[in-house]
Amino acid sequence: MHRPLRLTIDRTAIQENWRWLQDRAGVPAGAAIKADGYGLGARETAQALYQAGCRDFFVSTWAEAEALGPLPLGAGLVVLHGVGPADAEAPLASTARPCLNTIEQVGRWKEIAPGRPCDVMIDTGINRLGLRPTEIEALDRLAIDTLHSHLACADEDDPLNEMQLERFRAVASAVTAKRYSMANSAGICLGRDYSFDLVRPGLALYGGVPREEADGHIRSVARVDAEIVQRRTIPAGESCGYGATFVATEDTEAAILNIGYADGYLRGFSSRGSAFAGEFALPVLGRVSMDLIAVGCDAAPGLKEGEWVELDYDLPSASKQSGLSQYELLTTLGSRFERRWV
Ligand SMILES: *Cc1c(COP(=O)(O)O)cnc(C)c1O
């Protein structure tokens, strides 16, 4: 069946982004592939990164671990949300290990899988998931593979970064684990003090630029193209789209494209997004609809029904246009795309 919108995902770009992050960190890099690989595809991403040498993968839930299927030899999978009260069966049936976040989870793991390896999250200041540094006595008799912490403000220059680093160093010296890990994509940019033994990038693998240090090194991964459903001229003085927010000051050539907010092209792009026809930029005219947008194509008058145009979905630039975070831009991409891995 023909699909009038297409997501093209560049496997080589994911691999090269991972290599840059690992080189920058100076220690092995894992990969966060939760939320189905940030919306692009967890299985394909894991496969591409395994090929590149990645051996540590992170999902959020046991359902995500199961959906991923078995990983190849030597690869480890961690379930970041740990073992909850309803998770008795799944962890025992899985080769993934939990990252334990609370005293309750630690107790549960000791009970259901005594001696079996796990990871542990220490909360050093984000106050989201993890044991507080004062709770580490609970960790005795655990076989900890990796002890983690997670940065709250790594994408900014915030004093909390160094405070978290100091707190994690103190905990790491008191808790025995095979490895220690703290940095996400932005944390890798902060410098090697944050690397410890393993880093956990997500966003930057998929083309997100978390901080300016990564600018020029991270390649764009996802490309969005949509087909033209109709070509029309909007007569001077008439409007286009819901709410009539765009009014043509002169006769305006427009292409109506097969993409809208139901595909994750959210309304933040209304009158602010753009598409490309070759080197010509085509501005979004008026509001984004559920399944359609209009782009002005005075710059490319030859465009016809059935031809394709590329949306500007370069993450830093699309984030500025739409007001959405680079994370949201990836994870909201919908299910109607034809997905092509190249
Ligand atoms: C999602 C996540 C990451 C990856 O973060 P990015 O900002 O996408 O690089 C790393 N560690 C933990 C604990 C996470 O939840």
Side-chain angles (χ1 to χ4, degrees):
M1 187 79 70
H2 177 73
R3 288 178 182 244
L5 68 175
R6 189 186 298 142
L7 186 61
T8 310
I9 305 158
D10 185 340
R11 182 179 274 115
T12 310
I14 294 183
Q15 293 170 327
E16 286 183 7
N17 290 340
W18 179 80
R19 280 192 202 100
W20 183 79
L21 290 157
Q22 178 163 269
D23 287 349
R24 166 109 194 164
V27 299
I33 54 169
K34 59 200 186 196
D36 196 22
Y38 288 44
L40 298 187
R43 268 184 201 231
E44 293 87 345
T45 300
Q47 194 181 39
L49 289 178
Y50 182 84
Q51 221 173 51
C54 182
R55 292 295 178 266
D56 294 277
F57 298 92
F58 299 90
V59 292
S60 290
T61 65
W62 295 99
E64 288 184 341
E66 189 185 27
L68 193 60
L71 285 174
L73 208 65
L77 180 65
V78 174
V79 174
L80 288 166
H81 294 188
V83 273
D87 285 332
E89 312 284 310
L92 298 177
S94 175
T95 55
R97 48 178 207 275
C99 181
L100 307 176
N101 295 292
T102 64
I103 299 225
E104 289 80 1
Q105 291 194 352
V106 168
R108 196 170 290 128
W109 190 244
K110 283 178 179 171
E111 204 163 290
I112 66 174
R116 206 156 124 180
C118 60
D119 284 10
V120 171
M121 176 65 70
I122 302 295
D123 191 315
T124 51
I126 191 170
N127 275 295
R128 197 178 63 171
L129 285 182
L131 280 88
R132 299 187 70 84
T134 50
E135 296 176 320
I136 56 176
E137 320 86 81
L139 301 177
D140 69 316
R141 295 183 293 114
L142 276 185
I144 304 176
D145 183 291
T146 308
L147 189 78
H148 299 271
S149 191
H150 191 56
L151 295 159
C153 307
D155 51 355
E156 290 162 36
D157 292 323
D158 191 293
L160 187 53
N161 292 327
E162 264 189 65
M163 281 165 60
Q164 287 195 268
L165 178 61
E166 287 316 312
R167 288 176 193 155
F168 190 52
R169 279 185 174 142
V171 172
S173 69
V175 176
T176 304
K178 279 196 193 152
R179 301 180 294 179
Y180 300 87
S181 173
M182 178 169 225
N184 62 347
S185 303
I188 292 167
C189 296
L190 290 177
R192 291 190 173 182
D193 282 353
Y194 292 81
S195 292
F196 293 87
D197 303 307
L198 172 73
V199 292
R200 307 184 307 264
L203 179 73
L205 299 171
Y206 309 100
V209 179
R211 291 179 57 98
E212 63 182 20
E213 291 88 344
D215 202 12
H217 300 289
I218 294 300
R219 284 180 52 187
S220 176
V221 167
R223 170 185 165 135
V224 174
D225 293 275
E227 196 181 330
I228 300 172
V229 192
Q230 182 173 21
R231 268 300 312 269
R232 67 186 310 124
T233 305
I234 305 168
E238 292 196 14
S239 66
C240 166
Y242 286 121
T245 59
F246 172 80
V247 178
T249 52
E250 56 199 326
D251 285 1
T252 300
E253 292 304 304
I256 314 301
L257 308 183
N258 234 309
I259 187 170
Y261 59 76
D263 304 301
Y265 197 75
L266 300 189
R267 300 207 316 165
F269 286 104
S270 298
S271 302
R272 311 206 43 184
S274 60
F276 301 112
E279 74 267 35
F280 300 111
L282 316 175
V284 171
L285 305 178
R287 280 199 196 149
V288 173
S289 302
M290 186 182 293
D291 319 302
L292 297 168
I293 58 171
V295 294
C297 56
D298 284 321
L303 280 179
K304 291 196 291 288
E305 171 194 348
E307 293 184 333
W308 290 74
V309 297
E310 179 184 355
L311 279 297
D312 181 0
Y313 217 74
D314 178 63
L315 295 177
S317 139
S319 174
K320 282 196 196 85
Q321 290 168 17
S322 63
L324 298 167
S325 75
Q326 297 179 68
Y327 298 84
E328 291 168 306
L329 289 171
L330 286 166
T331 55
T332 51
L333 288 170
S335 57
R336 292 194 290 192
F337 290 91
E338 178 197 342
R339 288 166 181 249
R340 284 190 189 169
W341 284 79
V342 294

